[in-house]
Amino acid sequence: LPRKIVNHDKLWNLVLAHSYCNEAKSDKLVSSHFIEKLIKRNENIIGSRISRRKELILQLGKNIIQRRAYIENEYGKVRTALRNNFWGGVGYNPETDPFYRRLITIMNNN
């Protein structure tokens, strides 16, 4: 979600992005399928042994229902503010990116 709107750099909302994608997205709203990926990414971190998983639980809630509701509520607020100013992506698919897949594997093993 655009930092300009949420006005923070909390871990739950930070994502790895190529500079081109980050600049192209700018302050636009992502479509809901990106939010689903964000929720899954956060749950992946929480289910891992990564030390910062506790930070996500404190920010989002103790269970998946609370965490999902929190993110969906934030998305709704940003969507109200930005209306239909969407960013659709640039054709990048993390599921086929070998670097991204390697990164997720490493994160899951830490």
Side-chain angles (χ1 to χ4, degrees), residues 45-46 50-60:
I45 293 171
I46 288 169
I50 295 172
S51 61
R52 297 189 76 184
R53 70 178 188 253
K54 292 179 184 176
E55 182 179 344
L56 284 175
I57 293 169
L58 287 173
Q59 291 174 1
L60 298 173

Side-chain angles (χ1 to χ4, degrees), residues 45-100:
I45 293 171
I46 288 169
S48 73
R49 295 175 285 179
I50 295 172
S51 61
R52 297 189 76 184
R53 70 178 188 253
K54 292 179 184 176
E55 182 179 344
L56 284 175
I57 293 169
L58 287 173
Q59 291 174 1
L60 298 173
K62 292 182 181 180
N63 63 57
I64 190 169
I65 294 168
Q66 291 173 339
R67 293 188 292 265
R68 175 177 284 282
Y70 183 88
I71 292 174
E72 288 174 349
N73 184 51
E74 291 297 305
Y75 181 69
K77 288 191 259 182
V78 172
R79 189 171 181 164
T80 298
L82 293 178
R83 298 197 177 122
N84 291 321
N85 188 14
F86 282 100
W87 177 74
V90 290
Y92 172 74
N93 183 353
E95 293 176 11
T96 60
D97 182 338
F99 172 78
Y100 177 81

Side-chain angles (χ1 to χ4, degrees), residues 1-10 12-14 27 70 74 78:
L1 300 176
R3 183 183 186 282
K4 180 179 179 178
I5 304 296
V6 296
N7 202 28
H8 66 70
D9 287 325
K10 291 183 180 177
W12 71 264
N13 190 44
L14 297 178
D27 291 329
Y70 183 88
E74 291 297 305
V78 172

